[in-house]
Each structure stands twice: as structure tokens, then as C-alpha cells.
Amino acid sequence: MLTYDSSGFQLDGSPLRILSGAMHYFRTRPEQWPQRLAALRAMGLNTVETYVPWNLHEPAPGDFRRLAELPRFLDEAARQGLWAIVRPGPYICAEWDNGGLPGWLTARVGRRARTSDPEFLAAVDAYFDAVLPGVVERQSDRGGNVLLVQVENEYGSHGSDAAYLSHLTEGLRRRGVSVPLFTSDGPEDHLLSAGTVPGLLATVNFGSDPEAAFEVLRRHRPQDPPFCMEFWNGWFDHWGEKHHTREPEDAADALRRILAAGGSVNIYMAHGGTNFATTAGANHADPPFNSTDYVDSPYQPAITSYDYDAPLDERGAPTAKYELFRAVLADFAAEHPVEARFLDDREPELPGPAPLLPAQEVALTTFAPLPYGAAVDSPVPPTFEELGLEHGLVRYTFRVPGPRPELPLTVEGLRDRATVWVDGERVAELARGVEHAPLAVPGGVTVELLVESLGRVNYGPQVGETKGIIGGVRHERQYLHGCRAEPVRLAELAELAELADPAGLAGLAGLAGLAGLGFRPEPPAERPYLARGTLTVRSPGDTFLAVPGGRYGQLWVNGFALGRYDERGPQRTLYCPQPVLRSGVNEIVLLELGDAEPTVVELRERPDLG
């Protein structure tokens, strides 16, 4: 049994320093878990931490999927000699779409999310009923490897509803969670006072200055041990920004100081992985000093890679930071062998990642039109959520009344990017929060807007936002009513590859039956369209795909959605994991949404993160 006091943790009566690394089961392929987890142990970590994304497991009300993945991940961690920390939310942040909250739910409850609102709590209860049994059975006090379970996540940065936190705590206990529960918040007084729960372990998240952070925690919780639940040794990236890196020596020094202060630690991230398909989240730029105006600050969608400048890079290869962290942890273990012990006594091994395929080009030789769904006619443009669409594309069509002169055309509440056609001619590209040249059209024309959703905001007051056109389309001051909406279901969260699929390569909505899409040697007259090429490999390996001449769009390999690419950078290649490929012929499908016509996809031997 795990217990704790101000001096630290004890497991079955012996002192234990929790040396954890964050690795999310949903950001790596299951076939890759053994190598990644073994590398964590070889670095000197004795625990792995993972979030649980609610929206991945309940893509529609009551439709629970992929529930076997978390238990399977925990079992693999145990096989690798690692204890585990589980953070089931319901909110997780994590630079994950909508902070893990289901879009269908937040569209319904709005700002009542993450409160004691009965409708929201009823949905949380159903989610807990579905996901917790696999955790409860694997708790350390039942012979398993789960040491700790989190209540919510950084709630002090969001709200102050103590009844909500109490409901979550009681719900976890009622469903059989008997290991210690904990909260995690920033090391600031107002965050800790609102985000902690009486009687539960409090932890803090930070990237530097551990002595000051632990002092704040000690002031609030003198009876709790120092624990950094998220040691930010790197950082995430947004489209259009430089790739974030941190000097390995600086990060290693901070880790050494955490341990010297008596702290337990969770390295966030130890291995970041990938935001496959459309799972990447978004942020708003930090508002000016002494302001909390996140609403009007710039929108910042996260990139597909979640490399995070972590000790293990996106494909699981050790970095210079890994070697320095390994040395720090080895020094600690030499001085404190009992505290730094593992779940078992095996000698750790450091297996390498999959081999890399040689660089080559794949020609795009056949093409197919977009698979638009059934049209919905509405007085105003329906949101993606009203169309039952988690992510993808929607073509909105309006007829401008006439006769009238040329007048300004305005799209209110665009989320997040659109291409505009007038009478079939492409005339403009619009993007959320980005200034563009004035757009004007006369009466009597047909206006089409193909709207693409990017990540939902995962942190701050805009969590729970809807997608599509949430305001309206105006011709001068007059709203255009009478809208036809046609969805394209390209990459629903729940239709990422399921473990139940024997090949591990279940298709995506709209792309599951590629043969039925009518691929032909000549491109369709209507753009955008899907382009397909084939890749033959003797033995699968890892690779990185680039789209020379492409501007922005999405890529699939054998029906598996790798994610978005974007000319803004910093990411200019998409990681394709070995398990997605197969010996023989492989199918690559590209959707270019910009005004470009890529002719090839390149396989490269290294990532390009700018």
C-alpha cells in the first residue's frame, strides 16, 4: 500500500521516490509501447504517467470505444517493471483537442462544463463507469501497478466549484479507486487554494526554480511530500512558430535540484509522441500582463508532432537530454537504491526504435472527389457539432439576393479556416484571427465556403468552443439566410485505428472504403480532391513524409490518419510509424486544401521541425 507524509512516500513500509515519466498511450501505436516503456526504465524511471482522453473513448453520447487500450497499456508498463499514475480527467488539457472533453458535450452544456451542473456530472459519471474498471483492477493495493489517480487537472487555473471536485472525488472512491488521489496545479496561491481538495495529495507543475515552487506547496500543504507532477523539460509547438527547445544541461540541472529538494517527479514529457489525425489542440496567446482577456488573444493551433523536445524524440530515439537525465537518475539511484527501486529486479535494457526506411518519392497518380455527405438546409449555417461532426470539412453554400451592387462580404465567427468560391471561382482564403484583403461580391451570385476545423482550444476560458461558422455570413450589414451545409467526415476521433482491428489499421469515416471513391488517372474538375499513390516496401520501418509544394492539408497511410501538414511550419514532415506500414504495397492518400497541386509525397529519414 502506498502512503505518504511530509517526508515522502512509502510503499509497503519502505521509502519510495516516485520517478515518473509522462507517456500517453494514445499518442503512440500499441505495437510501440514496449520499446518506449523499456526506454523509460532504462533512463532510470520507475513509473509511467498517462492522461486518459474522454473524447477518444466516447465520441458520441453513450458510444464508448477503445476501452481496452488503457488496461493493455498499464499491463505492458507492469511487464516493463514500471508503476503507473493515471489521470482520467474528465479534463486533461495536454494540448489535446478540447482538453479531452467531448465536443458533442461541451456544445450542449457550454460554460457549465467543469462545474457541478447536473447534466455535465451525469455525463462524467457515465464516462467514469466505462473507463475506471480497468484502472481499479490494476491498483497497487490489489497486486497491480497503479500507484496514484488524479482528480480533474489544474482545476485552479479554471474554476472554484468545490462541489464539482467533491463529486469527482466521491465518484472515484465509489467506483473502487482506493489508492491515493491527488490534484495538480501551478505553484501559485490562488491556483492551489481553488484546485486542491481537503484530504487529497496536492502536487505542483513547473519547469524551473523547484525550490520556490515547493515552498509555495509547503505553505499550503505542510503535511504533503514535495511532488512535481509535471516537470516541463520541453514545450509544445504551434503552427507558424519556431520549434521549442531547451538546453539539455539546463533541464538536467532542474531535475537534479528537484531530487535534491526531496521531491518526487513526473517528467512531462518523457516521450511526447504524435497528435495523429485531428487530435491536436489549440491555445490562445497569453494576454498582456495584468490582463485575462484570452477571448480576443490570437488563436494558436497545435502542430501534429508532440515531440515536446522530450528525452525520447517523436519516434522513440534517445536524445542528448535523455543521456543527461539518465546520468542524473543514476547518481540518485546510487545514493538512494531503495527509494529509486523498480517494480521488479530485472536489469533495464535500452532497445532502439524501428529502423528507418530509405528516402524516396511516391508519385500521386490517381485522384478522387471529396466524399460530401448528405446536404442539410438551414436558415443559418449549422455548426460542426449540430451536423454531428467532430472534425473535418463542411461546404456552406449561400445565394446572394439581387439585383444589388458589389458589397463587402463578411464571415463572422470562422472556426477555423475557409476557402471561398464565387460562382465556382476560387477567390479567397480566410483564417481565424488573420487579417485578409477586403472581399466584395455583387448580388445574384452563389458563394461557397469550404470550412476546415483545426484544434479546439485545450486551455483557458475558450475550452468547449464549437466549430464551423458560429456567427453568420453578411453581405454588407445584411445576414445571408438560407444555407446548405455538406459535411465531409474525414477524421473522426473515434475512428483512429482500433485495437480490435486485426491489422491495427481501421479506416476513417469517408476514407474507409477508398475503392468506392472512384479514383481515376485524371484529377476531378472540382477542387479540392483526394490524390493517391502507392509505396512498395520489403520490410516496414519508420519514416517521415513531406509534401513538396503543398501548402496545407492532411495525409493518410493505409487508411490511418497521420495528421495535418501546414506550410507555416515549424513542422514540415509527418511521422509515419512502422506499424502503419506493411510488407508489399502501401497506399498513401493526400488531401491538399491550399491552392497547390502536389505531385509527389517524399519519404525522408529524419524529421523536419524547423
Side-chain angles (χ1 to χ4, degrees), residues 102-357:
W104 58 263
L105 177 61
T106 53
R108 200 167 69 196
V109 302
R111 67 178 188 270
R112 293 178 286 134
R114 302 181 73 190
T115 72
S116 52
D117 170 74
E119 184 178 7
F120 181 72
L121 292 183
V124 172
D125 289 344
Y127 160 62
F128 276 179
D129 286 342
V131 79
L132 285 177
V135 177
V136 169
E137 296 165 1
R138 290 163 175 79
Q139 295 178 102
S140 58
D141 56 6
R142 300 192 184 193
N145 62 330
V146 177
L147 291 177
L148 296 163
V149 174
Q150 181 169 287
V151 177
E152 240 277 350
N153 183 56
E154 296 184 324
Y155 189 68
S157 297
H158 172 75
S160 57
D161 191 337
Y164 167 58
L165 295 179
S166 177
H167 180 95
L168 297 182
T169 302
E170 293 167 4
L172 290 166
R173 291 297 188 213
R174 191 168 60 251
R175 290 169 177 83
V177 177
S178 50
V179 296
L181 298 174
F182 70 94
T183 59
S184 65
D185 290 281
E188 299 180 56
D189 291 326
H190 65 297
L191 305 184
L192 286 165
S193 62
T196 55
V197 177
L200 302 190
L201 173 70
T203 68
V204 285
N205 303 334
F206 56 83
S208 57
D209 201 1
E211 297 84 2
F214 285 151
E215 179 57 35
V216 175
L217 177 62
R218 191 174 299 111
R219 190 164 65 241
H220 284 260
R221 288 299 183 87
Q223 73 276 19
D224 288 352
F227 197 151
C228 177
M229 187 51 64
E230 292 186 14
F231 166 46
W232 302 319
N233 71 104
W235 204 243
F236 52 88
D237 295 321
H238 300 120
W239 293 114
E241 298 179 357
K242 291 183 178 180
H243 175 50
H244 289 85
T245 60
R246 181 176 181 180
E247 288 297 326
E249 294 79 8
D250 179 63
D253 178 67
L255 177 59
R256 186 179 294 106
R257 289 162 60 191
I258 289 171
L259 299 177
S264 288
V265 65
N266 178 45
I267 297 170
Y268 193 98
M269 298 290 298
H271 170 59
T274 308
N275 297 314
F276 292 117
T278 56
T279 58
N283 290 281
H284 278 278
D286 288 338
F289 176 72
N290 207 28
S291 167
T292 56
D293 187 12
Y294 283 94
V295 175
D296 294 322
S297 61
Y299 170 71
Q300 300 172 312
I303 68 172
T304 300
S305 173
Y306 201 61
D307 176 85
Y308 209 88
D309 192 35
L312 286 173
D313 70 12
E314 187 174 10
R315 62 179 292 260
T319 66
K321 189 179 291 183
Y322 180 97
E323 298 301 338
L324 289 178
F325 280 16
R326 190 181 192 181
V328 170
L329 293 166
D331 289 345
F332 177 80
E335 295 181 16
H336 308 276
V338 174
E339 285 187 71
R341 69 188 183 278
F342 299 96
L343 183 60
D344 60 34
D345 296 326
R346 291 181 294 113
E347 283 297 315
E349 298 179 0
L350 177 56
L356 284 161
L357 295 179

Side-chain angles (χ1 to χ4, degrees), residues 224-558:
D224 288 352
F227 197 151
C228 177
M229 187 51 64
E230 292 186 14
F231 166 46
W232 302 319
N233 71 104
W235 204 243
F236 52 88
D237 295 321
H238 300 120
W239 293 114
E241 298 179 357
K242 291 183 178 180
H243 175 50
H244 289 85
T245 60
R246 181 176 181 180
E247 288 297 326
E249 294 79 8
D250 179 63
D253 178 67
L255 177 59
R256 186 179 294 106
R257 289 162 60 191
I258 289 171
L259 299 177
S264 288
V265 65
N266 178 45
I267 297 170
Y268 193 98
M269 298 290 298
H271 170 59
T274 308
N275 297 314
F276 292 117
T278 56
T279 58
N283 290 281
H284 278 278
D286 288 338
F289 176 72
N290 207 28
S291 167
T292 56
D293 187 12
Y294 283 94
V295 175
D296 294 322
S297 61
Y299 170 71
Q300 300 172 312
I303 68 172
T304 300
S305 173
Y306 201 61
D307 176 85
Y308 209 88
D309 192 35
L312 286 173
D313 70 12
E314 187 174 10
R315 62 179 292 260
T319 66
K321 189 179 291 183
Y322 180 97
E323 298 301 338
L324 289 178
F325 280 16
R326 190 181 192 181
V328 170
L329 293 166
D331 289 345
F332 177 80
E335 295 181 16
H336 308 276
V338 174
E339 285 187 71
R341 69 188 183 278
F342 299 96
L343 183 60
D344 60 34
D345 296 326
R346 291 181 294 113
E347 283 297 315
E349 298 179 0
L350 177 56
L356 284 161
L357 295 179
Q360 57 187 292
E361 284 188 351
V362 175
L364 301 171
T365 57
T366 58
F367 311 88
L370 283 180
Y372 288 100
V376 174
D377 293 320
S378 172
V380 297
T383 65
F384 278 37
E385 292 77 11
E386 289 168 337
L387 293 168
L389 191 65
E390 189 78 15
H391 275 294
L393 305 167
V394 174
R395 181 167 61 188
Y396 296 98
T397 303
F398 300 85
R399 181 71 178 174
V400 182
R404 60 177 67 184
E406 190 173 86
L407 295 169
L409 186 76
T410 303
V411 182
E412 292 182 347
L414 174 62
R415 294 180 180 170
D416 296 294
R417 188 156 53 188
T419 306
V420 184
W421 283 268
V422 177
D423 283 346
E425 180 183 354
R426 184 185 182 117
V427 298
E429 291 181 4
L430 309 177
R432 177 179 180 177
V434 178
E435 291 187 12
H436 59 86
L439 179 60
V441 299
V445 300
T446 298
V447 176
E448 295 174 310
L449 297 101
L450 184 63
V451 175
E452 175 196 10
S453 62
L454 299 175
R456 287 180 179 82
V457 170
N458 55 257
Y459 179 84
Q462 293 287 43
V463 169
E465 65 175 7
T466 53
K467 292 298 185 181
I469 299 175
I470 65 166
V473 177
R474 285 190 290 107
H475 198 218
E476 203 258 342
R477 75 198 70 179
Q478 181 185 91
Y479 283 104
L480 296 180
H481 290 129
C483 171
R484 170 160 290 191
E486 300 164 275
V488 182
R489 302 177 185 276
L490 287 177
E492 297 289 357
L493 282 171
E495 290 166 320
L496 288 163
E498 301 244 10
L499 292 179
D501 176 31
L505 295 170
L508 301 174
L511 291 182
L514 287 172
L517 290 178
F519 278 88
R520 300 180 184 278
E522 295 298 324
E526 184 178 62
R527 296 178 59 187
Y529 48 75
L530 299 167
R532 181 174 65 175
T534 56
L535 165 69
T536 301
V537 297
R538 177 175 296 178
S539 179
D542 282 349
T543 188
F544 295 89
L545 301 186
V547 184
R551 294 194 54 222
Y552 57 90
Q554 299 185 34
L555 270 174
W556 292 261
V557 174
N558 293 332

Side-chain angles (χ1 to χ4, degrees), residues 24 228 521 585:
H24 301 152
C228 177
V585 178

Side-chain angles (χ1 to χ4, degrees), residues 52-136:
V52 183
W54 181 1
N55 53 7
L56 186 71
H57 294 297
E58 192 181 7
D63 180 14
F64 290 99
R65 303 185 185 184
R66 302 177 66 176
L67 295 177
E69 293 189 38
L70 175 59
R72 179 175 165 181
F73 178 77
L74 296 174
D75 289 345
E76 185 58 43
R79 276 191 288 272
Q80 299 297 335
L82 297 172
W83 286 290
I85 298 170
V86 180
R87 306 168 79 185
Y91 164 81
I92 63 170
C93 186
E95 292 70 61
W96 185 261
D97 187 68
N98 216 28
L101 298 173
W104 58 263
L105 177 61
T106 53
R108 200 167 69 196
V109 302
R111 67 178 188 270
R112 293 178 286 134
R114 302 181 73 190
T115 72
S116 52
D117 170 74
E119 184 178 7
F120 181 72
L121 292 183
V124 172
D125 289 344
Y127 160 62
F128 276 179
D129 286 342
V131 79
L132 285 177
V135 177
V136 169

